[in-house]
Amino acid sequence: MEYQRLIDNQDERDVEETGSETLYEDALKQTGYGRFHWLVLFLCGWAVSSDAIEVLSVSFMLPSAQKDLDMSSVDKGWLNAIIFVGMMIGGYFWGSLADRHGRRTVLLGSLTVNGLGGLVSSTSQVFWLFLLARFISGIGVGGSIPVIFSYFTEFQPKDRRGKMISALATFWMFGNIIAAGLAWSVIPRDIGYHSASFKYNSWRIFVALCTIPSLTSAVFFIFMPESPKFLLTIGQNRKALSVLKFIHKKNKQPSSYKVTSLVLDPDHRPIHLTHQDTGCVSSISRNLKSLASISGELFRPPLLRSSVIMLIINFTLSFGYYGLWMWFPELFSRVEKYGGSPCDHHVGPPNRTTNSTGAMDKDWIYFSGFLTALSNLPGNLLTIYLMDQLGRKLLLSSSMVASGVCVFFIPLVRDKWQNLGVSCLFGAVSTVGWNALDVLSTELFPTNVRSTSMGIQTGVGRIAAIFGNVIFGELVDVHCSIPMILVSGLLVFGGLTSIRLPSTVRTDIH
């Protein structure tokens, strides 16, 4: 690996280079902006897409897997929720490890766990085993999501940071579209292997195909360098400088790279990590103390206020979005099967327009899911353009309030096209909020606690997603207007709370 050779050569050469110290933000700017940064965007974006595919794939296979796994509505709610249980645990565990042992190493591990868990789930023949495999997959997803954004942000100069993080967030939409497109292409088909004791039918093939992005992402990150900003925080200044030289070379800048000495900021004191072999118990104890210390910084001034507000926003947005979005294919199925509103309590016969084979049902379900996924595109394009013009807070608060209003009207629709229209509007508007939240999550917290902060935030978000899916599963057969009103109220509350956050537009990240 070319960057590794540069680091090795740097350690063997005259490491006592002299010269004035250059601030990291200035040194990063001098690398230019070009080929390397677009490569990082593509690789991190593919990893984000892989997480989206893994999270959303379950919602698309629910209607077809219901019979094979003998699932009730409550079982479906738990199956939607279990990946978030894994993400809650994985987010904190992997995020804290990333602040101690590096972003790249954690990404390799978490993406691999994600892919292997999903692959095992595709072979599961009983509900409890499928549930367990999805939980393991969730542990991997929970680690990669916060660390990817930390890794990516630390390569971005401040004048491009808002737009580029917004661009990275759009890859969640691409993952959603890929999952919906795969579901539409694969699940309605009569393909696979069947025997008396083992089935590997179309929806299982779909689940297996959804693991390809995460496994390929893990392979790609083998060839990427560690975050230079992380290296600076742990006192490995020479390796950080080597990575910046590597970036400068890849960007094909016409002038030579003149930075000879780096400093994160004038008051920064690096955290020097020790690697003494003191035994397994001592190592675990040391790591736990480190995690507790890093986490404690988030709940003391000056980070306390931002941490609490961000936790409230993550809870309300995750409860509202995932509590509803993961159920869209099921709601589309009910509207197509029975007609009328998705919140009608159906006890009568299916809609007469449904044919005997059920083919039209499936085509409409996955066609609707695909259009709903595609509805994210306008919101993503809007945030890339407006993130630095209007600011993160305004986009976040207005998006959450507007999303709450959209959800309020879903029980009032009377046919499948109205239902699809409101669902697409919700997808377009809510995407703006998620993108603004991604930017704020990386900018509000310093490098030494950034991944831990994002791990805790996403962990709380996963708790909310669990509650959202389980509550929806419990109430959807009673009357789904009840969880709809709850979702609407929480989204509006979270949007109004976000107004209390500080502005981070074009500010240095520490």
Side-chain angles (χ1 to χ4, degrees):
M1 293 178 288
E2 186 177 356
Y3 85 91
Q4 187 62 51
R5 289 198 300 271
L6 281 172
I7 291 175
D8 293 340
N9 291 338
Q10 179 73 20
D11 288 338
E12 294 170 2
R13 288 197 313 261
D14 49 334
V15 297
E16 298 298 330
E17 292 175 307
T18 59
S20 59
E21 291 184 327
T22 305
L23 292 177
Y24 176 78
E25 288 287 347
D26 296 331
L28 181 62
K29 189 173 183 179
Q30 291 183 44
T31 64
Y33 207 91
R35 179 183 172 187
F36 176 83
H37 291 90
W38 295 114
L39 176 65
V40 170
L41 175 63
F42 172 77
L43 294 183
C44 290
W46 185 234
V48 169
S49 294
S50 75
D51 289 335
I53 292 168
E54 199 64 29
V55 170
L56 300 171
S57 61
V58 171
S59 65
F60 290 109
M61 44 76 62
L62 281 180
S64 296
Q66 178 177 353
K67 182 178 179 180
D68 287 340
L69 298 178
D70 191 24
M71 291 186 292
S72 65
S73 292
V74 175
D75 291 333
K76 292 177 184 178
W78 276 108
L79 187 54
N80 271 334
I82 196 64
I83 194 168
F84 297 109
V85 178
M87 290 169 73
M88 175 184 65
I89 297 171
Y92 180 70
F93 172 74
W94 293 109
S96 298
L97 286 182
D99 283 334
R100 181 173 175 82
H101 299 291
R103 284 49 166 135
R104 175 177 165 271
T105 302
V106 167
L107 284 173
L108 289 172
S110 60
L111 287 165
T112 302
V113 170
N114 175 5
L116 293 180
L119 201 58
V120 170
S121 73
S122 71
T123 66
S124 304
Q125 302 296 299
V126 292
F127 176 73
W128 71 265
L129 186 57
F130 191 87
L131 199 69
L132 177 62
R134 300 308 299 181
F135 168 74
I136 294 172
S137 178
I139 291 176
V141 177
S144 55
I145 288 178
V147 180
I148 286 168
F149 278 89
S150 294
Y151 180 85
F152 181 78
T153 299
E154 289 162 11
F155 285 105
Q156 306 304 315
K158 62 183 177 182
D159 59 333
R160 293 176 179 261
R161 195 170 60 231
K163 287 184 178 180
M164 294 307 294
I165 298 175
S166 297
L168 177 63
T170 64
F171 281 86
W172 186 272
M173 171 198 68
F174 291 126
N176 197 344
I177 292 172
I178 291 170
L182 271 176
W184 191 11
S185 302
V186 175
I187 296 179
R189 311 293 171 244
D190 186 16
I191 55 177
Y193 170 80
H194 300 266
S195 71
S197 59
F198 187 82
K199 289 183 180 180
Y200 205 80
N201 41 13
S202 60
W203 68 263
R204 298 178 192 276
I205 294 173
F206 163 71
V207 171
L209 290 174
C210 287
T211 67
I212 294 175
S214 59
L215 294 175
T216 53
S217 293
V219 174
F220 291 152
F221 273 104
I222 294 174
F223 305 100
M224 294 300 290
E226 180 56 87
S227 159
K229 191 154 196 175
F230 168 77
L231 292 172
L232 270 180
T233 63
I234 61 172
Q236 296 187 17
N237 293 34
R238 285 173 289 173
K239 287 187 177 181
L241 183 58
S242 294
V243 174
L244 292 176
K245 289 181 178 179
F246 172 75
I247 296 172
H248 179 271
K249 180 181 178 182
K250 285 297 181 183
N251 286 339
K252 298 185 182 299
Q253 295 301 298
S255 59
S256 60
Y257 193 64
K258 298 178 181 179
V259 177
T260 59
S261 183
L262 280 176
V263 63
L264 192 58
D265 60 62
D267 300 320
H268 174 69
R269 293 182 179 181
I271 304 170
H272 295 280
L273 300 181
T274 59
H275 301 280
Q276 298 174 353
D277 185 11
T278 56
C280 180
V281 175
S282 297
S283 177
I284 293 174
S285 175
R286 187 171 59 250
N287 281 327
L288 289 176
K289 288 180 180 178
S290 175
L291 300 188
S293 175
I294 293 172
S295 302
E297 289 188 42
L298 296 170
F299 297 98
R300 293 192 297 265
L303 300 178
L304 174 61
R305 178 177 172 179
S306 294
S307 295
V308 172
I309 294 176
M310 289 294 285
L311 291 177
I312 292 172
I313 295 169
N314 270 277
F315 185 91
T316 54
L317 185 55
S318 296
F319 186 104
Y321 179 84
Y322 289 114
L324 178 61
W325 192 268
M326 300 289 283
W327 281 88
F328 271 152
E330 178 70 14
L331 295 178
F332 290 143
S333 176
R334 294 185 181 202
V335 170
E336 175 64 10
K337 187 174 182 180
Y338 297 104
S341 167
C343 286
D344 287 344
H345 186 58
H346 301 292
V347 294
N351 192 332
R352 292 181 180 179
T353 61
T354 304
N355 62 31
S356 59
T357 65
M360 189 185 74
D361 280 353
K362 291 184 177 180
D363 283 341
W364 172 256
I365 293 167
Y366 298 114
F367 169 72
S368 301
F370 182 79
L371 285 186
T372 307
L374 198 62
S375 70
N376 290 174
L377 181 60
N380 279 300
L381 295 177
L382 190 68
T383 52
I384 292 174
Y385 179 72
L386 296 178
M387 189 63 71
D388 289 326
Q389 277 70 30
L390 296 182
R392 293 73 158 127
K393 284 199 305 180
L394 179 59
L395 290 177
L396 177 59
S397 59
S398 58
S399 167
M400 291 186 70
V401 171
S403 296
V405 173
C406 289
V407 175
F408 182 80
F409 284 101
I410 290 179
L412 304 179
V413 301
R414 302 312 306 168
D415 61 51
K416 65 183 183 181
W417 288 104
Q418 292 177 5
N419 182 60
L420 178 60
V422 176
S423 301
C424 287
L425 182 61
F426 173 78
V429 173
S430 62
T431 298
V432 176
W434 278 113
N435 291 354
L437 183 64
D438 288 336
V439 178
L440 283 166
S441 297
T442 58
E443 291 182 336
L444 283 171
F445 303 95
T447 304
N448 65 310
V449 296
R450 183 171 297 121
S451 289
T452 302
S453 169
M454 292 194 71
I456 292 175
Q457 291 173 43
T458 55
V460 169
R462 302 325 166 206
I463 294 174
I466 294 165
F467 281 134
N469 276 285
V470 171
I471 289 172
F472 214 108
E474 294 285 349
L475 297 177
V476 68
D477 290 333
V478 177
H479 204 291
C480 77
S481 62
I482 300 173
M484 293 286 187
I485 293 171
L486 179 60
V487 164
S488 178
L490 284 172
L491 286 171
V492 172
F493 173 71
L496 296 177
T497 303
S498 67
I499 298 173
R500 305 289 295 174
L501 287 170
S503 175
T504 60
V505 178
R506 294 189 177 90
T507 58
D508 290 347
I509 55 173
H510 300 290

